[in-house]
Amino acid sequence: MKKHVVFISLFLVLIMMATMLGGCGGSSKKPDAGAKSAATAKNPPKIAEPTKTVDPKANLNADITIVQQLDMVSFDPIATSDLSNRYIITNIYSYLFAQDRYLNSTPELAKSYKRLNDSTWQFEIHKGVKTHDGKELTADDVVYSLQRTQKGTAIGALFKPVDKISKVDDYTIQITTFGPYPALPTALTHVSCGIVPKHYLEKAEASKDWSNPIGTGRYKFKSRIIGDSVVMERFDGYFNKDDKALNKSLTFKIIPEGSGRTIAVETKKADLNVVFDTVDYDRVVGNANLQLWQHPSQLVWHLGYDNTNPNFKNKLVRQAINFAVDRKALMEVGHNGHGTVVFNNATFAPTCLGAVNNPGNKYSYDPEKAKALMKQAGVSGFDTEIIVFRDEAERMAVLVQSYLKVIGINATVKRIENAVFAQTIQAHKAPMFITSWGCYWDPDMFLARRFTKAGIGGVNRVWYQNPELDVMIDKARTISFDDKPRAEVYGQIQNFLAEEAPEADLYVNNMYALANKDLKGVEINVEMPHNYYKLHY
Amino acid sequence: MFKFVVKRLFAMIPIILAVTFVVFTIMYFTPGDPTNVILGNEWSETASAQLKAELGLDQSFIMQFFHYVKNLVQGNFGMSYITRAPVGDQLLARFPNTLIVVAGAMVFCVGVGVPIGIYSGVKPYSLFSNVTMVAGLLGVSLPIFWLGLLLILLFSVQLGWLPSSGLDSFASLILPSLALGSNYMANVMRTTRSSMLEVIRQDYIRTAKAKGVNERNVVLKHALQNAMMPTITVIGMNIGALLGGVVLTETVFSIPGTGRLLVESINKRDTPTVLGCLVIMAVCVAISNLVVDIIYAYIDPRIKAQYGGGKG
């Protein structure tokens, strides 16, 4: 008996030790843990602003290691629009226009551009742009690349308004569109518009071998170990001498596990973690050797519902749902409270052109008003399902379930896989769902697909269409090439959609990047950390 | 014996074909579409149809399976739907890493489990025996994922002795081997202990002791050979289990191996890559079973005689 007591004690001691070690992780999944600790943190997150000046004494020859969650897919720019791919290959290839932090366009290869008429654009590229194998880039390369992009699938609807891409002379190209398309420069920032020199592209297309890419970007490809790492080194022949890479090399390491990426930066195996898991938030804000950077994203988390479903056909029910949910609490549950609440129904992030956070101040968290609207609609309640495929969404769905219960809607939560989400939508098997949508700065690049017939069966997941809205979207595109009049129309569109309530937008989460405290030049756009070429010590 | 080995190698062909057919069928009928993953927010019916035609996904089940098997027979694992690169290249890059981790775990499993099992079998009521059995129970009970994270926190973050990720040195192999191996080591340890306990009570052991053979020789020469049969069976079975468990180990320790590739490919509905990974794993399990059978023959002359190669 005595012996058994000894063994049981031993066993318990071991378990306790293991649990204490686990506690060393310091992670907390309590919804408000991050928000509370931010106030008392040793080094709270800083806002990542664009790098304006570089210290003359800075080390511009550092080898920078970046950790990310997923491996890249391919160096073929038209293979996928996956983010883990995009932010690697954009270092190798140049674009006519690069993206700024709001995903708006900023000229890169394009030296100048002008509109010859409403549907014809002319772009002049820089002279003397060298490829990584020493040849000069000409309009032939640009035209060949973009024509291939046009034929590909990755760019989807963004190139649908594009009619012809042609060469004018060795350094000038022309793009004609089917009618006015003010968002063309922004469309040209899409990953699949990367310019690949024609001589390499022809070879790669024939052999289907993209393992040694050649571009004109700031970095030359050096090596890749599939599933492990990608290494690239500074290209000293980059055409824009004033905006060259501020480090000697970039190594992208793939670490799928969130805490593993944090630990890599903590143990100085990596300089920057570009996919930070907020589970480690408390631990890193308490560590003086680390610096967490943040920036609001343009990822709009929203509660969608099938507008063709009999339960959601009545707009009063849809409005009731918008009053029934507490967006702040959902943001606490979804992203530990890190983000900005939005009362919008058009998937506009607050930083998009013409965005209005709460059009007409229509919505707030008001369960009584929600109940009254349900009564006015003559709907006592119904049973439905909330489809989710991500952890954050699943956590939110449980809370939404309780909010809906208050107004008589009995919802069950169903988790599915990412790969079947689109099919579930197409089969009208997602009466309600929670997911996010990444906005471009220019709403023309998503509105027409999100809420018109063009997106039905695709990304118009709420199955909403309205001829009145179609006219307004068309007006916003064609009214002017200037932002101001377009922004006004987008304001009207948001007011219109607030009344229609085709979905309930909840919040925009913050983006994070975890870095070694001495690392400089960390920049984050509304999608992910970016501009890795600016990283230096 | 040679005939037996050749016969077993040929028997692997229907096994591989059966694995291919079953996995292909499951993947074909599993809901989900790789074009959703590839196209993301740019997904549309037209783009999806165009992509499906490019990938050959618009063909019938029979045609797709026929093309796959035709290529497989020629040693071609096909092209990944997601990366559009040959699956064979990915396997070539990743499978050696999986083998290294499994081998490391196996060395830990056998190198620690067998000696402890022998000692516990010989001294069944000692404190050491009881402590190791409790530790073994703990090893079986702790999920690989959790144990891996604990090991990283202790040895990489707190002590800074060992790397937390990758597989670029011998030091980086230690933690993954421990995490993966500890789960299976307990099995090996307990099996060795119980069979040792059984053998050590046999008459011939008592006879050997009576004749004055020293304890060490009794255990290592007389008892161990017979006690090892069940242990070898467990080790052989563990190889299949290790290949399954390696998925979690590769994820926690960021090792670019086949297990991680398999899970990523299942999530992305990348059928050629899933098939490639599973065919390689099936071949591995079949070969390890064959090796176990050959070892049986060397340990037990009666089995060797059955294979037709021994003198009995």
Side-chain angles (χ1 to χ4, degrees):
Chain A
M1 184 65 193
K2 195 181 166 192
K3 211 175 229 177
H4 283 133
V5 171
V6 171
F7 294 139
I8 289 164
S9 311
L10 242 173
F11 185 77
L12 288 174
V13 166
L14 280 167
I15 291 285
M16 279 168 66
M17 279 171 65
T19 314
M20 279 163 69
L21 270 173
C24 293
S27 64
S28 169
K29 287 192 177 181
K30 279 184 289 179
D32 60 347
K36 276 179 187 165
S37 61
T40 53
K42 280 183 201 167
N43 54 342
K46 286 183 188 167
I47 300 288
E49 295 288 352
T51 316
K52 285 184 182 138
T53 52
V54 177
D55 185 343
K57 289 178 192 165
N59 171 12
L60 305 182
N61 280 310
D63 296 307
I64 303 290
T65 300
I66 295 165
V67 283
Q68 63 178 48
Q69 183 181 14
L70 299 172
D71 193 12
M72 65 172 299
V73 175
S74 167
F75 282 106
D76 181 353
I78 70 163
T80 178
S81 48
D82 194 89
L83 289 186
S84 49
N85 204 59
R86 177 190 172 92
Y87 287 89
I88 290 184
I89 74 169
T90 47
N91 296 294
I92 301 279
Y93 303 120
S94 301
Y95 288 72
L96 282 179
F97 293 88
Q99 285 181 331
D100 71 7
R101 62 172 157 159
Y102 300 112
L103 304 192
N104 195 10
S105 60
T106 169
E108 188 185 4
L109 278 175
K111 188 180 170 192
S112 64
Y113 65 102
K114 58 184 173 190
R115 284 187 316 278
L116 302 181
N117 55 51
D118 275 359
S119 55
T120 311
W121 298 67
Q122 196 155 293
F123 301 89
E124 186 194 353
I125 61 166
H126 284 277
K127 285 178 184 160
V129 175
K130 291 283 177 211
T131 65
H132 297 160
D133 56 353
K135 297 190 168 61
E136 193 186 354
L137 191 87
T138 66
D140 287 319
D141 300 290
V142 179
V143 169
Y144 193 77
S145 272
L146 293 181
Q147 283 177 342
R148 183 171 177 266
T149 305
Q150 193 182 15
K151 284 180 219 148
T153 48
I155 195 160
L158 302 188
F159 249 36
K160 264 198 178 148
V162 173
D163 179 16
K164 262 188 266 170
I165 300 159
S166 55
K167 173 185 166 180
V168 176
D169 61 44
D170 277 355
Y171 300 100
T172 314
I173 71 154
Q174 208 169 76
I175 297 180
T176 52
T177 56
F178 300 110
Y181 186 34
L184 180 64
T186 316
L188 287 166
T189 66
H190 190 271
V191 62
S192 61
C193 294
I195 306 301
V196 186
K198 191 179 172 190
H199 66 277
Y200 175 74
L201 185 48
E202 283 174 333
K203 212 170 79 181
E205 276 188 300
S207 63
K208 295 191 189 303
D209 179 7
W210 286 87
S211 57
N212 281 294
I214 300 285
T216 54
R218 291 179 179 86
Y219 292 87
K220 287 188 289 186
F221 171 77
K222 193 176 174 198
S223 65
R224 179 187 178 198
I225 301 172
I226 295 173
D228 179 64
S229 58
V230 180
V231 184
M232 49 188 76
E233 48 190 27
R234 180 167 51 205
F235 175 47
D236 290 321
Y238 182 66
F239 73 94
N240 189 349
K241 304 289 176 205
D242 299 328
D243 201 17
K244 278 173 69 168
L246 302 180
N247 52 63
K248 197 169 110 201
S249 73
L250 290 178
T251 299
F252 294 87
K253 286 285 283 178
I254 314 304
I255 300 187
E257 212 277 312
S259 291
R261 291 191 295 279
T262 301
I263 288 167
V265 180
E266 267 182 308
T267 56
K268 298 194 175 173
K269 295 276 176 207
D271 304 280
L272 180 71
N273 169 12
V274 294
V275 188
F276 176 68
D277 192 334
T278 48
V279 141
D280 292 321
Y281 185 89
D282 289 357
R283 193 167 93 224
V284 303
V285 294
N287 186 338
N289 293 318
L290 302 173
Q291 183 57 58
L292 193 62
W293 297 91
Q294 68 174 350
H295 194 276
S297 76
Q298 277 178 190
L299 274 179
V300 182
W301 288 87
H302 57 279
L303 169 65
Y305 26 78
D306 185 341
N307 282 249
T308 62
N309 185 305
N311 289 330
F312 303 107
K313 270 195 171 167
N314 189 334
K315 79 173 179 188
L316 294 176
V317 173
R318 303 197 298 259
Q319 289 176 357
I321 293 168
N322 270 273
F323 280 110
V325 293
D326 182 355
R327 288 160 171 82
K328 197 164 183 290
L330 288 169
M331 188 169 77
E332 292 285 348
V333 169
H335 282 83
N336 287 356
H338 305 159
T340 311
V341 162
V342 290
F343 292 90
N344 196 295
N345 310 79
T347 347
F348 268 61
T351 41
C352 289
L353 173 65
V356 184
N357 196 5
N358 191 351
N361 281 324
K362 187 171 176 65
Y363 292 110
S364 59
Y365 174 47
D366 192 342
E368 292 310 314
K369 196 160 186 178
K371 280 185 209 167
L373 280 165
M374 288 292 278
K375 201 172 170 187
Q376 196 185 333
V379 179
S380 57
F382 51 85
D383 293 340
T384 189
E385 210 170 33
I386 307 171
I387 304 292
V388 292
F389 64 92
R390 293 190 199 165
D391 293 343
E392 307 93 325
E394 192 173 10
R395 294 197 295 269
M396 281 188 257
V398 176
L399 202 53
V400 168
Q401 210 177 10
S402 64
Y403 294 138
L404 295 180
K405 183 94 183 157
V406 174
I407 59 168
I409 300 174
N410 296 311
T412 48
V413 178
K414 187 177 174 188
R415 171 105 187 210
I416 59 168
E417 279 182 274
N418 183 12
V420 295
F421 182 61
Q423 280 182 335
T424 309
I425 295 281
Q426 284 155 36
H428 286 284
K429 285 183 178 168
M432 296 188 96
F433 57 88
I434 298 177
T435 188
S436 65
W437 173 262
C439 299
Y440 278 93
W441 174 81
D442 192 326
D444 191 38
M445 296 177 75
F446 58 86
L447 264 185
R449 289 181 290 147
R450 297 278 294 146
F451 301 105
T452 71
K453 197 180 170 189
I456 292 287
V459 294
N460 184 350
R461 297 167 184 143
V462 292
W463 298 89
Y464 179 83
Q465 46 182 322
N466 188 323
E468 216 178 314
L469 178 66
D470 294 353
V471 172
M472 292 168 93
I473 291 174
D474 200 47
K475 186 180 171 191
R477 180 185 299 144
T478 54
I479 190 169
S480 170
F481 281 89
D482 294 330
D483 294 340
K484 206 178 163 195
R486 293 183 64 217
E488 277 171 23
V489 183
Y490 285 127
Q492 292 160 16
I493 288 175
Q494 288 166 87
N495 277 315
F496 177 83
L497 286 175
E499 179 63 24
E500 286 289 293
E503 66 180 31
D505 294 349
L506 306 172
Y507 64 92
V508 169
N509 66 286
N510 281 356
M511 281 288 149
Y512 289 102
L514 177 68
N516 180 312
K517 75 169 169 42
D518 299 321
L519 187 69
K520 295 178 180 72
V522 177
E523 292 191 9
I524 307 175
N525 68 20
V526 292
E527 191 169 65
M528 240 184 104
H530 75 147
N531 284 348
Y532 305 143
Y533 71 94
K534 292 186 180 173
L535 297 172
H536 63 277
Y537 278 99
Chain B
M1 188 66 173
F2 176 72
K3 252 186 185 172
F4 167 78
V5 173
V6 172
K7 224 162 90 181
R8 285 288 298 269
L9 286 174
F10 273 108
M12 278 164 58
I13 296 171
I15 292 172
I16 291 165
L17 282 176
V19 167
T20 310
F21 181 74
V22 170
V23 176
F24 194 92
T25 310
I26 291 172
M27 290 298 289
Y28 187 86
F29 289 105
T30 302
D33 181 351
T35 64
N36 289 336
V37 179
I38 299 167
L39 297 170
N41 281 344
E42 310 306 333
W43 193 95
S44 68
E45 264 179 297
T46 324
S48 173
Q50 188 186 336
L51 194 56
K52 278 183 178 168
E54 279 173 32
L55 298 171
L57 289 168
D58 55 343
Q59 293 176 1
S60 66
F61 170 80
I62 299 290
M63 285 310 287
Q64 285 186 43
F65 183 67
F66 174 74
H67 282 306
Y68 185 80
V69 173
K70 198 178 99 187
N71 286 334
L72 186 65
V73 169
Q74 294 164 5
N76 179 357
F77 285 94
M79 300 287 267
S80 158
Y81 294 157
I82 307 295
T83 64
R84 318 276 178 97
V87 173
D89 289 357
Q90 293 194 59
L91 292 175
L92 212 63
R94 292 196 176 214
F95 193 60
N97 294 331
T98 300
L99 275 186
I100 290 170
V101 176
V102 169
M106 193 50 87
V107 166
F108 173 69
C109 203
V110 175
V112 178
V114 171
I116 292 178
I118 294 170
Y119 189 81
S120 312
V122 176
K123 310 264 185 208
Y125 306 111
S126 64
L127 179 67
F128 178 80
S129 173
N130 286 319
V131 168
T132 51
M133 283 305 115
V134 172
L137 188 67
L138 205 62
V140 171
S141 315
L142 293 179
I144 297 176
F145 192 83
W146 194 60
L147 178 63
L149 281 176
L150 289 183
L151 290 172
I152 290 174
L153 284 170
L154 178 62
F155 292 104
S156 304
V157 180
Q158 304 291 333
L159 302 172
W161 291 349
L162 295 166
S164 61
S165 61
L167 194 64
D168 43 17
S169 62
F170 175 73
S172 62
L173 179 62
I174 295 173
L175 293 185
S177 303
L178 276 175
L180 180 60
S182 64
N183 216 280
Y184 302 99
M185 184 197 74
N187 265 340
V188 172
M189 190 165 81
R190 295 173 82 91
T191 310
T192 311
R193 181 183 186 264
S194 60
S195 57
M196 202 68 186
L197 266 172
E198 200 181 313
V199 169
I200 213 87
R201 290 173 188 151
Q202 300 281 322
D203 289 346
Y204 74 94
I205 298 291
R206 203 172 299 123
T207 309
K209 280 183 181 169
K211 278 182 169 179
V213 179
N214 69 30
E215 180 78 14
R216 187 190 164 92
N217 280 347
V218 168
V219 172
L220 296 180
K221 285 192 178 167
H222 296 264
L224 186 60
Q225 199 169 354
N226 285 336
M228 280 308 280
M229 293 292 280
T231 307
I232 287 167
T233 310
V234 168
I235 292 170
M237 283 163 67
N238 271 357
I239 292 176
L242 283 169
L243 281 169
V246 82
V247 174
L248 293 173
T249 315
E250 286 175 356
T251 305
V252 175
F253 293 98
S254 310
I255 296 165
T258 326
R260 219 175 84 193
L261 178 67
L262 175 64
V263 174
E264 286 164 8
S265 308
I266 291 171
N267 287 335
K268 291 175 179 171
R269 298 292 187 272
D270 188 0
T271 305
T273 311
V274 173
L275 279 164
C277 294
L278 288 173
V279 164
I280 285 280
M281 285 183 174
V283 169
C284 231
V285 172
I287 290 176
S288 64
N289 284 342
L290 176 63
V291 171
V292 167
D293 286 349
I294 294 169
I295 294 173
Y296 277 160
Y298 279 96
I299 289 181
D300 190 341
R302 290 169 300 181
I303 294 172
K304 200 173 182 183
Q306 279 174 18
Y307 294 163
K311 288 172 187 171

